[in-house]
Amino acid sequence: MQNILMNLLGYFSSWVLILVTLAVALFAEAIHTFFSGKSLSRRGMIVSFMPLRDILKSITIPVSLPEAAVAKLSIYLPCFALASLVPIAASIPFFSFIPIMDNGGDLMQILQFAILSETFAILSVLSLGTVAAEATAKRMMQELVALIVPMMAAFISIGFFYSTGGVQGDPFSLNTFTKAQHMSLSVPFSLVGTLLFIFVIFSRIPHSNAGFGCSLLENCELPDYNGAPRSVLQLWSIFRAFLVVALVTHIFFPWGFFKGLNAGFSISWWAQSVNFAAFWSTVLIIRVFGVTVCWKLKELSEASIKIKNGGTWLYIALTVAATLLVVYEGIKISMETAAF
């Protein structure tokens, strides 16, 4: 009986931390919107400093759908999309005290959950049955491909790098990636390739062209779609972007010093609490400032390319270059190992 109560308490704490992490994601979005709003207001554009207020307000509005909508899909699929992000969040070691999914989960499995979540969101928009909804869903599919492809390329090439280095265990495990050996100065090609991957992934996180943030439908798209499902879909888009930043932060940067925080506490619960706060505070800072810088650089680089679809070709080239650099470093290491 005691074990059952402890398990229930552990899982309850995990769900509480899910809500805390979602709150941090919303806070990061609000900070980004505040700074973007001040920048845009100086150019004569009036924007709300608290778009999240509109999201929360929409929850209380009665659900309204276009006449052609498939009501059940439009109402319930956003919930499934948001729920599909939970296993991704729970796979991050600094996410919870009691894991819902095995911490350090397989990166390809994480991508599968990401695609599943995106599929639910896209289908929920398509189910509205309007021309505007089809255009929004098409844009969402393009954004999905633009984000998933460089992430998959990064996982495969860095996994190859570790497998050629003779790493112990699964080369595609999240825990293997967090050794951050691919970002050592002793492997310069892998380091440069990884930095390119970081830039490409951050810059391809779906966001508003107006620079407001990551909230889907924030530019008053689909005005005939209102109520709680719309709010859930917007919360999903913000949480999705925040988890991408969290995964990149955890995978591509050496976080060994977090483990050192345990030494100051005799109770592991306190040590985990410090780790939790330190990691997600770091993710918040990177989301607000690091991702924004990548978005600005993306805009500047695309503006400087005059050919048709120049921005797309640029990011294809950067992704290919990053993959080749990391794979080359892996091949070089394997050849050096074989020479000995």
Side-chain angles (χ1 to χ4, degrees):
M1 184 65 180
Q2 184 178 1
N3 290 335
I4 294 176
L5 291 176
M6 292 301 295
N7 288 336
L8 290 175
L9 180 61
Y11 282 109
F12 175 77
S13 68
S14 293
W15 285 105
V16 169
L17 291 178
I18 289 174
L19 297 178
V20 171
T21 308
L22 179 58
V24 175
L26 294 175
F27 182 58
E29 189 73 12
I31 295 174
H32 171 84
T33 305
F34 175 79
F35 286 118
S36 297
K38 290 184 73 68
S39 174
L40 293 173
S41 64
R42 286 195 294 267
R43 288 182 273 166
M45 296 179 63
I46 300 176
V47 298
S48 171
F49 286 166
M50 292 297 293
L52 304 180
R53 178 177 53 195
D54 300 332
I55 296 176
L56 298 176
K57 182 180 178 181
S58 179
I59 295 177
T60 63
I61 298 176
V63 176
S64 64
L65 303 171
E67 293 183 1
V70 182
K72 289 185 177 180
L73 296 181
S74 303
I75 292 173
Y76 295 116
L77 284 183
C79 299
F80 286 111
L82 184 60
S84 298
L85 294 179
V86 173
I88 300 175
S91 68
I92 300 173
F94 296 120
F95 180 76
S96 65
F97 304 151
I98 306 296
I100 298 173
M101 192 171 85
D102 178 37
N103 282 169
D106 186 272
L107 288 166
M108 292 304 157
Q109 189 178 29
I110 289 174
L111 282 181
Q112 289 172 359
F113 275 107
I115 294 173
L116 176 65
S117 178
E118 294 274 354
T119 301
F120 283 137
I122 292 170
L123 289 177
S124 69
V125 173
L126 273 177
S127 66
L128 296 174
T130 63
V131 175
E134 291 180 6
T136 301
K138 182 179 179 181
R139 189 194 79 207
M140 292 171 66
M141 286 186 281
Q142 293 172 343
E143 292 173 343
L144 169 62
V145 173
L147 178 63
I148 289 294
V149 168
M151 290 185 70
M152 188 174 297
F155 294 165
I156 292 174
S157 56
I158 297 175
F160 172 79
F161 170 83
Y162 278 111
S163 63
T164 56
V167 67
Q168 297 295 324
D170 182 7
F172 289 103
S173 169
L174 187 60
N175 287 334
T176 299
F177 273 50
T178 53
K179 296 176 182 177
Q181 294 176 0
H182 52 287
M183 293 198 69
S184 171
L185 292 175
S186 62
V187 284
F189 293 102
S190 177
L191 175 60
V192 173
T194 303
L195 292 175
L196 285 177
F197 275 131
I198 293 172
F199 170 71
V200 172
I201 293 171
F202 278 176
S203 61
R204 304 307 287 184
I205 292 176
H207 60 283
S208 165
N209 291 331
F212 296 155
C214 294
S215 176
L216 184 68
L217 309 179
E218 67 181 349
N219 294 330
C220 300
E221 300 108 318
L222 309 181
D224 49 355
Y225 180 40
N226 287 305
R230 182 188 181 98
S231 293
V232 171
L233 203 57
Q234 291 178 297
L235 290 174
W236 162 83
S237 61
I238 293 172
F239 196 39
R240 177 266 315 270
F242 194 68
L243 288 181
V244 171
V245 178
L247 278 173
V248 173
T249 302
H250 188 59
I251 290 170
F252 294 144
F253 292 90
W255 296 111
F257 72 91
F258 280 127
K259 297 179 180 179
L261 295 174
N262 295 334
F265 299 91
S266 58
I267 303 175
S268 62
W269 187 87
W270 282 103
Q272 289 177 320
S273 299
V274 172
N275 285 336
F276 180 88
F279 176 74
W280 290 107
S281 298
T282 305
V283 174
L284 185 149
I285 293 171
I286 293 177
R287 161 64 186 90
V288 174
F289 298 104
V291 174
T292 303
V293 169
C294 290
W295 287 345
K296 295 298 182 183
L297 291 175
K298 170 180 177 288
E299 292 177 6
L300 293 175
S301 60
E302 289 182 345
S304 63
I305 300 176
K306 304 303 181 182
I307 63 174
K308 184 179 180 180
N309 298 323
T312 301
W313 287 111
L314 172 65
Y315 286 98
I316 290 175
L318 289 176
T319 302
V320 172
T323 303
L324 293 177
L325 285 169
V326 177
V327 169
Y328 171 75
E329 193 72 72
I331 295 174
K332 190 173 72 168
I333 290 176
S334 64
M335 293 176 65
E336 292 173 353
T337 303
F340 288 103

